[in-house]
Amino acid sequence: MATATLPVALADATRDDASLRRFLHGLPGVDQVGVEQRAAGLGTRSIKKAAKLWAIDTAISMVDLTTLEGADTHGKVRALCAKARRPDPDRPDTPPVAAVCVYPDLAATAVEALAGTGIAVASVATAFPSGRSSREVKLADVRLAVTSGAAEVDMVIDRGAFLEGRYGQVFEEIQAVKAACGDAHLKVILETGELATYDNVRRASWLALLAGGDFIKTSTGKVSPAATLPVTHVMLQAVRDWYTATGELRGVKPAGGIRTTKDAIRYLVAVHEVAGEQWLTPTLFRFGASSLLNDLLLQRRTQLDGHYSGPDYLAVD
Protein backbone atom coordinates (compact mmCIF):
# COMPACT_ATOMS: atom_id res chain seq x y z
CA MET A 1 0.00 0.00 0.00
CA ALA A 2 2.95 2.36 0.59
CA THR A 3 3.74 5.13 -1.90
CA ALA A 4 7.50 5.31 -2.54
CA THR A 5 7.65 9.03 -3.26
CA LEU A 6 6.23 10.07 0.12
CA PRO A 7 8.40 11.23 3.02
CA VAL A 8 9.13 8.38 5.42
CA ALA A 9 6.56 9.41 8.05
CA LEU A 10 3.76 9.59 5.47
CA ALA A 11 4.90 6.46 3.65
CA ASP A 12 4.69 4.61 6.97
CA ALA A 13 1.11 5.85 7.30
CA THR A 14 0.18 4.02 4.09
CA ARG A 15 2.06 0.80 4.85
CA ASP A 16 -1.10 -1.15 5.65
CA ASP A 17 -4.73 -0.73 6.66
CA ALA A 18 -4.00 -0.44 10.37
CA SER A 19 -1.31 2.21 9.80
CA LEU A 20 -3.61 4.22 7.57
CA ARG A 21 -6.42 4.12 10.12
CA ARG A 22 -4.01 5.13 12.89
CA PHE A 23 -2.73 8.08 10.86
CA LEU A 24 -6.16 9.35 9.79
CA HIS A 25 -7.64 9.08 13.26
CA GLY A 26 -4.52 10.70 14.71
CA LEU A 27 -5.08 13.91 12.73
CA PRO A 28 -6.01 16.89 14.91
CA GLY A 29 -9.76 17.29 15.34
CA VAL A 30 -11.44 20.21 13.61
CA ASP A 31 -12.80 22.91 15.92
CA GLN A 32 -16.30 23.21 14.42
CA VAL A 33 -17.15 26.53 16.08
CA GLY A 34 -13.75 27.97 15.26
CA VAL A 35 -13.73 26.99 11.59
CA GLU A 36 -17.28 28.23 11.06
CA GLN A 37 -16.56 31.54 12.78
CA ARG A 38 -13.37 32.07 10.80
CA ALA A 39 -15.12 31.22 7.52
CA ALA A 40 -17.92 33.65 8.39
CA GLY A 41 -15.36 36.34 9.20
CA LEU A 42 -13.52 35.88 5.92
CA GLY A 43 -16.84 36.11 4.13
CA THR A 44 -17.43 39.67 5.38
CA ARG A 45 -14.19 41.12 4.02
CA SER A 46 -14.65 44.01 1.57
CA ILE A 47 -12.29 44.77 -1.31
CA LYS A 48 -11.63 47.92 -3.34
CA LYS A 49 -12.93 48.43 -6.88
CA ALA A 50 -9.60 47.77 -8.61
CA ALA A 51 -9.11 44.61 -6.56
CA LYS A 52 -12.66 43.54 -7.34
CA LEU A 53 -12.03 43.59 -11.10
CA TRP A 54 -8.88 41.53 -10.55
CA ALA A 55 -10.86 39.10 -8.39
CA ILE A 56 -13.59 38.74 -11.03
CA ASP A 57 -11.06 38.04 -13.80
CA THR A 58 -9.21 35.61 -11.56
CA ALA A 59 -12.43 33.78 -10.71
CA ILE A 60 -13.41 33.54 -14.39
CA SER A 61 -10.02 32.01 -15.17
CA MET A 62 -10.61 29.40 -12.43
CA VAL A 63 -14.03 28.19 -13.60
CA ASP A 64 -14.53 24.60 -14.70
CA LEU A 65 -17.57 25.30 -16.89
CA THR A 66 -19.72 22.27 -16.33
CA THR A 67 -22.63 20.38 -17.80
CA LEU A 68 -23.45 17.02 -16.21
CA GLU A 69 -27.05 16.27 -17.11
CA GLY A 70 -28.68 13.19 -18.56
CA ALA A 71 -30.02 15.35 -21.41
CA ASP A 72 -26.57 16.64 -22.46
CA THR A 73 -25.99 16.58 -26.23
CA HIS A 74 -23.01 17.10 -28.52
CA GLY A 75 -24.55 20.43 -29.55
CA LYS A 76 -24.88 21.60 -25.96
CA VAL A 77 -21.24 20.70 -25.28
CA ARG A 78 -20.06 22.58 -28.39
CA ALA A 79 -22.04 25.65 -27.29
CA LEU A 80 -20.52 25.41 -23.81
CA CYS A 81 -17.05 25.21 -25.34
CA ALA A 82 -17.74 28.32 -27.43
CA LYS A 83 -18.68 30.15 -24.24
CA ALA A 84 -15.57 28.83 -22.51
CA ARG A 85 -13.37 30.26 -25.27
CA ARG A 86 -15.07 33.66 -25.37
CA PRO A 87 -17.16 34.09 -22.22
CA ASP A 88 -18.22 37.63 -23.23
CA PRO A 89 -17.96 38.05 -27.01
CA ASP A 90 -18.35 41.83 -26.76
CA ARG A 91 -15.42 42.04 -24.34
CA PRO A 92 -12.43 40.27 -25.95
CA ASP A 93 -10.26 41.09 -22.92
CA THR A 94 -12.37 38.73 -20.79
CA PRO A 95 -10.19 35.75 -19.80
CA PRO A 96 -11.21 32.25 -20.90
CA VAL A 97 -12.22 29.69 -18.30
CA ALA A 98 -9.87 26.99 -17.02
CA ALA A 99 -11.71 23.92 -18.27
CA VAL A 100 -14.94 22.44 -19.56
CA CYS A 101 -16.23 19.48 -17.54
CA VAL A 102 -18.47 16.84 -19.14
CA TYR A 103 -19.33 13.14 -19.03
CA PRO A 104 -16.77 10.70 -20.53
CA ASP A 105 -18.80 9.94 -23.66
CA LEU A 106 -18.82 13.66 -24.55
CA ALA A 107 -15.17 14.35 -23.77
CA ALA A 108 -14.06 13.83 -27.39
CA THR A 109 -16.59 16.43 -28.57
CA ALA A 110 -15.20 18.96 -26.09
CA VAL A 111 -11.59 18.12 -27.01
CA GLU A 112 -12.35 18.79 -30.68
CA ALA A 113 -14.16 22.05 -29.92
CA LEU A 114 -11.36 23.36 -27.68
CA ALA A 115 -8.36 22.25 -29.76
CA GLY A 116 -5.57 24.81 -29.67
CA THR A 117 -7.21 27.05 -27.04
CA GLY A 118 -5.29 25.96 -23.94
CA ILE A 119 -8.62 25.28 -22.20
CA ALA A 120 -8.57 21.86 -20.58
CA VAL A 121 -11.22 19.20 -20.96
CA ALA A 122 -12.19 17.57 -17.67
CA SER A 123 -14.31 14.46 -17.48
CA VAL A 124 -16.09 12.95 -14.52
CA ALA A 125 -15.59 9.24 -14.04
CA THR A 126 -15.81 6.25 -11.66
CA ALA A 127 -19.60 5.88 -11.85
CA PHE A 128 -20.24 9.56 -11.15
CA PRO A 129 -22.04 10.80 -9.08
CA SER A 130 -22.74 7.85 -6.76
CA GLY A 131 -19.51 5.91 -7.20
CA ARG A 132 -21.54 2.75 -6.84
CA SER A 133 -20.10 0.21 -9.24
CA SER A 134 -17.30 -2.32 -9.53
CA ARG A 135 -13.70 -1.15 -9.78
CA GLU A 136 -13.53 -2.68 -13.24
CA VAL A 137 -16.40 -0.48 -14.43
CA LYS A 138 -14.93 2.60 -12.72
CA LEU A 139 -11.54 2.12 -14.37
CA ALA A 140 -13.21 1.56 -17.75
CA ASP A 141 -14.92 4.93 -17.20
CA VAL A 142 -11.53 6.54 -16.60
CA ARG A 143 -9.98 4.90 -19.67
CA LEU A 144 -12.84 6.17 -21.84
CA ALA A 145 -12.26 9.71 -20.60
CA VAL A 146 -8.49 9.58 -21.10
CA THR A 147 -8.56 7.92 -24.53
CA SER A 148 -11.11 10.56 -25.58
CA GLY A 149 -8.51 13.21 -24.78
CA ALA A 150 -9.55 14.46 -21.34
CA ALA A 151 -6.62 16.19 -19.62
CA GLU A 152 -8.31 16.05 -16.22
CA VAL A 153 -10.40 13.35 -14.53
CA ASP A 154 -12.83 14.09 -11.68
CA MET A 155 -13.41 10.84 -9.78
CA VAL A 156 -15.75 10.16 -6.87
CA ILE A 157 -14.65 8.22 -3.82
CA ASP A 158 -16.65 5.32 -2.42
CA ARG A 159 -18.32 7.18 0.45
CA GLY A 160 -19.88 3.99 1.78
CA ALA A 161 -16.47 2.36 2.15
CA PHE A 162 -15.03 5.51 3.73
CA LEU A 163 -17.85 5.87 6.27
CA GLU A 164 -17.48 2.19 7.22
CA GLY A 165 -13.80 2.81 7.88
CA ARG A 166 -12.52 0.80 4.91
CA TYR A 167 -9.85 3.41 4.26
CA GLY A 168 -7.45 0.99 2.57
CA GLN A 169 -10.06 0.15 -0.06
CA VAL A 170 -10.65 3.83 -0.83
CA PHE A 171 -6.90 4.51 -0.90
CA GLU A 172 -6.19 1.66 -3.31
CA GLU A 173 -9.05 2.68 -5.59
CA ILE A 174 -7.75 6.25 -5.84
CA GLN A 175 -4.28 4.87 -6.59
CA ALA A 176 -5.71 2.63 -9.33
CA VAL A 177 -7.60 5.55 -10.88
CA LYS A 178 -4.46 7.71 -10.70
CA ALA A 179 -2.53 5.03 -12.58
CA ALA A 180 -5.29 4.77 -15.21
CA CYS A 181 -5.18 8.56 -15.69
CA GLY A 182 -1.67 8.45 -17.13
CA ASP A 183 -0.70 12.08 -17.75
CA ALA A 184 -4.17 13.40 -16.94
CA HIS A 185 -4.57 15.28 -13.65
CA LEU A 186 -6.79 13.65 -11.05
CA LYS A 187 -9.36 15.53 -9.00
CA VAL A 188 -10.79 13.47 -6.13
CA ILE A 189 -14.40 14.30 -5.24
CA LEU A 190 -15.06 13.72 -1.54
CA GLU A 191 -18.81 14.50 -1.63
CA THR A 192 -18.45 16.37 1.64
CA GLY A 193 -22.22 16.72 2.08
CA GLU A 194 -22.31 12.97 2.80
CA LEU A 195 -19.31 12.86 5.14
CA ALA A 196 -21.26 14.34 8.09
CA THR A 197 -18.37 15.91 10.06
CA TYR A 198 -15.44 18.24 9.50
CA ASP A 199 -13.17 15.57 10.98
CA ASN A 200 -14.27 13.21 8.20
CA VAL A 201 -13.61 15.93 5.62
CA ARG A 202 -10.08 16.31 6.98
CA ARG A 203 -9.52 12.54 6.95
CA ALA A 204 -10.89 12.15 3.43
CA SER A 205 -8.75 15.07 2.23
CA TRP A 206 -5.58 13.51 3.59
CA LEU A 207 -6.57 10.08 2.27
CA ALA A 208 -6.97 11.50 -1.23
CA LEU A 209 -3.67 13.38 -1.01
CA LEU A 210 -1.81 10.31 0.25
CA ALA A 211 -3.20 8.26 -2.64
CA GLY A 212 -1.97 10.75 -5.25
CA GLY A 213 -4.87 13.12 -5.98
CA ASP A 214 -3.70 16.30 -7.73
CA PHE A 215 -6.81 18.13 -6.49
CA ILE A 216 -9.33 17.51 -3.76
CA LYS A 217 -12.85 18.53 -4.72
CA THR A 218 -15.81 19.12 -2.42
CA SER A 219 -18.77 17.78 -4.30
CA THR A 220 -20.48 16.34 -7.34
CA GLY A 221 -23.03 19.16 -7.30
CA LYS A 222 -25.74 16.50 -7.05
CA VAL A 223 -25.92 16.37 -3.24
CA SER A 224 -26.93 19.09 -0.79
CA PRO A 225 -25.09 20.68 0.87
CA ALA A 226 -22.41 20.97 -1.79
CA ALA A 227 -19.49 23.39 -1.39
CA THR A 228 -19.45 25.50 1.78
CA LEU A 229 -16.83 27.94 3.03
CA PRO A 230 -16.09 26.03 6.27
CA VAL A 231 -15.60 22.73 4.40
CA THR A 232 -13.39 24.44 1.82
CA HIS A 233 -11.46 26.02 4.70
CA VAL A 234 -10.71 22.53 6.10
CA MET A 235 -9.59 21.31 2.67
CA LEU A 236 -7.37 24.35 2.12
CA GLN A 237 -5.73 23.63 5.47
CA ALA A 238 -5.07 20.08 4.28
CA VAL A 239 -3.28 21.11 1.06
CA ARG A 240 -1.32 23.77 2.96
CA ASP A 241 -0.21 21.21 5.54
CA TRP A 242 0.57 18.71 2.77
CA TYR A 243 2.84 21.28 1.15
CA THR A 244 4.57 21.92 4.46
CA ALA A 245 5.15 18.17 4.92
CA THR A 246 6.14 17.24 1.36
CA GLY A 247 6.96 20.37 -0.64
CA GLU A 248 4.27 19.33 -3.16
CA LEU A 249 1.52 21.72 -4.22
CA ARG A 250 -1.94 20.17 -4.55
CA GLY A 251 -5.15 21.95 -5.52
CA VAL A 252 -8.68 22.45 -4.18
CA LYS A 253 -11.93 22.66 -6.13
CA PRO A 254 -15.18 23.68 -4.44
CA ALA A 255 -18.12 22.67 -6.63
CA GLY A 256 -21.87 23.14 -6.42
CA GLY A 257 -23.84 25.99 -4.91
CA ILE A 258 -21.40 28.80 -5.80
CA ARG A 259 -23.58 31.05 -7.93
CA THR A 260 -22.65 34.70 -7.37
CA THR A 261 -19.61 36.93 -7.70
CA LYS A 262 -19.89 37.70 -3.99
CA ASP A 263 -19.65 33.96 -3.26
CA ALA A 264 -16.62 33.56 -5.52
CA ILE A 265 -14.78 36.48 -3.91
CA ARG A 266 -15.38 34.99 -0.45
CA TYR A 267 -13.69 31.81 -1.62
CA LEU A 268 -10.74 33.71 -3.08
CA VAL A 269 -10.27 35.54 0.23
CA ALA A 270 -10.31 32.16 2.00
CA VAL A 271 -7.71 30.77 -0.41
CA HIS A 272 -5.40 33.72 0.27
CA GLU A 273 -5.85 33.66 4.03
CA VAL A 274 -5.85 29.89 4.66
CA ALA A 275 -3.59 28.34 2.02
CA GLY A 276 -1.65 31.33 0.71
CA GLU A 277 -1.24 33.58 -2.29
CA GLN A 278 0.45 30.93 -4.43
CA TRP A 279 -2.85 29.01 -4.55
CA LEU A 280 -4.54 31.94 -6.34
CA THR A 281 -4.04 30.36 -9.74
CA PRO A 282 -6.13 27.99 -11.89
CA THR A 283 -3.42 25.35 -11.53
CA LEU A 284 -4.22 25.10 -7.80
CA PHE A 285 -7.77 26.40 -7.34
CA ARG A 286 -10.92 25.89 -9.41
CA PHE A 287 -14.61 26.58 -9.18
CA GLY A 288 -16.91 23.80 -10.35
CA ALA A 289 -19.83 25.81 -11.68
CA SER A 290 -22.38 26.40 -14.39
CA SER A 291 -24.38 29.51 -13.44
CA LEU A 292 -21.50 31.30 -11.65
CA LEU A 293 -19.86 32.43 -14.89
CA ASN A 294 -22.88 34.46 -15.96
CA ASP A 295 -22.91 36.48 -12.75
CA LEU A 296 -19.14 37.06 -12.94
CA LEU A 297 -19.58 38.42 -16.48
CA LEU A 298 -22.44 40.71 -15.45
CA GLN A 299 -20.47 42.06 -12.50
CA ARG A 300 -17.42 42.54 -14.71
CA ARG A 301 -19.46 44.74 -17.05
CA THR A 302 -20.77 46.66 -14.07
CA GLN A 303 -17.22 47.33 -12.88
CA LEU A 304 -16.08 48.50 -16.32
CA ASP A 305 -19.20 50.41 -17.42
CA GLY A 306 -20.25 51.88 -14.10
CA HIS A 307 -23.80 50.57 -14.34
CA TYR A 308 -25.52 47.21 -14.08
CA SER A 309 -26.10 45.23 -17.26
CA GLY A 310 -29.05 42.87 -17.07
CA PRO A 311 -28.77 39.20 -17.99
CA ASP A 312 -30.25 39.85 -21.44
CA TYR A 313 -26.85 41.25 -22.45
CA LEU A 314 -25.28 37.81 -22.12
CA ALA A 315 -26.12 34.35 -23.31
CA VAL A 316 -27.27 32.50 -20.22
CA ASP A 317 -26.73 28.75 -20.08
Side-chain angles (χ1 to χ4, degrees), residues 20-21 28 60 65 105 110 113 158 174 195 211 216 241 243 269 273 287 295 309 312:
L20 188 58
R21 172 182 295 277
I60 291 171
L65 194 57
D105 61 316
D158 184 334
I174 297 170
L195 298 186
I216 47 176
D241 293 345
Y243 175 67
V269 170
E273 295 295 322
F287 291 105
D295 193 68
S309 298
D312 290 345

Side-chain angles (χ1 to χ4, degrees), residues 272-307:
H272 184 272
E273 295 295 322
V274 178
E277 188 174 352
Q278 65 192 119
W279 269 267
L280 287 171
T281 167
T283 60
L284 291 173
F285 193 78
R286 300 281 184 86
F287 291 105
S290 51
S291 59
L292 171 63
L293 181 59
N294 289 321
D295 193 68
L296 288 167
L297 296 174
L298 290 172
Q299 294 303 323
R300 187 177 194 273
R301 287 194 172 207
T302 300
Q303 291 295 304
L304 293 171
D305 298 342
H307 60 83

Side-chain angles (χ1 to χ4, degrees), residues 8-91:
V8 174
L10 293 179
D12 285 346
T14 63
R15 188 173 58 248
D16 53 39
D17 238 353
S19 299
L20 188 58
R21 172 182 295 277
R22 204 159 39 241
F23 174 82
L24 294 176
H25 283 269
L27 291 169
V30 179
D31 176 359
Q32 179 177 344
V33 173
V35 76
E36 290 177 352
Q37 285 182 343
R38 187 173 183 203
L42 293 175
T44 63
R45 299 278 182 88
S46 60
I47 60 175
K48 296 179 180 178
K49 181 176 180 179
K52 186 171 184 181
L53 183 58
W54 172 87
I56 289 170
D57 280 356
T58 299
I60 291 171
S61 75
M62 293 173 166
V63 168
D64 281 4
L65 194 57
T66 301
T67 183
L68 295 169
E69 302 298 335
D72 285 345
T73 64
H74 295 282
K76 182 178 180 181
V77 169
R78 291 189 191 99
L80 199 69
C81 290
K83 184 167 185 175
R85 291 195 308 268
R86 298 186 64 194
D88 188 347
D90 294 335
R91 299 278 185 174

